[in-house]
Amino acid sequence: MPAKKILILDGHPAENSLSRIFAQTYADAAIAKGHEVRMVHLSDLQFDHDFGQGNYEDFKPLEPVLEQVLQDIEWSEHLVLTTPMWWGGLPAKLKGLIDRTFIPGRTFDTRNTTKIGIPAPMLTGRTARVILTSDTPSWFMRLIYRQALLRQLRDQVLGFVGFKPTRFTYFAGASYPKPGSVERWIGKVARMGAAAL
């Protein structure tokens, strides 16, 4: 398998978390197989989370840490995002990073549209993997919540800017995992990292 350029974004705002463990596990396994890996820990980044006035004509200049994240995204061929689900969505700081860095002219093109009339994605040719932790049982996530966060990330965020396909790994019961669960999860993440999936 040819080596891939992989960006791993640990999207948990805390320094110590399952998300960070999964990010490091994936990185170690991918590096061992010869892939080129860059890693970003959300907890290390200091930036203004607020997009501001919410228009594309006069948005805030990116802080140097956000510019580096965006350059790493542009460099990558495969993005791995590890994050918890909080209140049915992403942690506020991670959402702020997306709001600030997924900007027109770099990630999507408002001057050109697709056949269905939406801005053209500028990050095509890339794939993504989201490793999501939650306390919501997987059956409840599927049947009651209808995988809302997964669909949002796949279609309205990552897919919108060109990442296709986006694959998901969902680990439920993360706050109080059953004995042996974390070890099994780590093993699964290691296998994905070795395969660069």
Side-chain angles (χ1 to χ4, degrees):
M1 168 181 30
K4 285 186 182 178
K5 296 177 181 177
I6 302 172
L7 173 62
I8 302 173
L9 173 56
D10 162 21
H12 200 297
E15 288 184 15
N16 298 305
S17 67
L18 269 177
S19 295
R20 190 180 189 108
I21 291 169
F22 294 150
Q24 191 62 57
T25 298
Y26 191 105
D28 292 343
I31 290 167
K33 289 294 185 179
H35 300 289
E36 191 173 350
V37 173
R38 294 182 184 177
M39 178 123 60
V40 175
H41 297 289
L42 185 67
S43 62
D44 294 341
L45 306 181
Q46 297 300 318
F47 62 93
D48 184 353
H49 313 164
D50 185 12
F51 185 72
Q53 298 302 312
N55 67 67
Y56 294 147
E57 302 299 322
D58 187 29
F59 50 83
K60 295 175 185 176
L62 296 179
E63 291 91 335
V65 294
L66 293 185
E67 175 60 37
Q68 185 59 57
V69 168
L70 186 48
Q71 288 181 21
D72 288 343
I73 291 170
E74 292 168 334
W75 164 86
S76 73
E77 297 170 320
H78 184 59
L79 171 68
V80 177
L81 171 63
T82 64
T83 181
M85 180 175 75
W86 286 351
W87 296 108
L90 299 175
K93 189 174 180 180
L94 177 56
K95 180 60 167 61
L97 182 142
I98 292 169
D99 289 348
R100 294 288 314 285
T101 57
F102 282 34
I103 54 176
R106 298 285 293 277
T107 63
F108 62 95
D109 186 355
T110 56
R111 298 175 189 273
N112 295 298
T113 59
T114 65
K115 292 178 183 177
I116 60 173
I118 62 173
M122 297 179 71
L123 298 175
T124 56
R126 295 166 174 82
T127 57
R129 163 75 60 181
V130 177
I131 301 172
L132 186 66
T133 58
S134 175
D135 288 329
T136 302
S138 55
W139 68 267
F140 201 92
M141 181 74 164
R142 202 170 49 251
L143 297 177
I144 307 302
Y145 293 154
R146 299 179 185 267
Q147 313 249 32
L149 179 57
L150 278 64
R151 288 187 289 111
Q152 178 192 37
L153 285 168
R154 184 192 66 210
D155 301 330
Q156 297 175 281
V157 180
L158 297 171
F160 186 85
V161 298
F163 286 91
K164 290 183 181 178
T166 295
R167 296 180 176 92
F168 292 88
T169 301
Y170 184 73
F171 296 126
S175 291
Y176 300 100
K178 294 177 181 176
S181 293
V182 172
E183 291 76 13
R184 286 194 301 275
W185 298 343
I186 288 171
K188 184 172 184 177
V189 171
R191 289 189 295 275
M192 289 188 297
L197 294 175

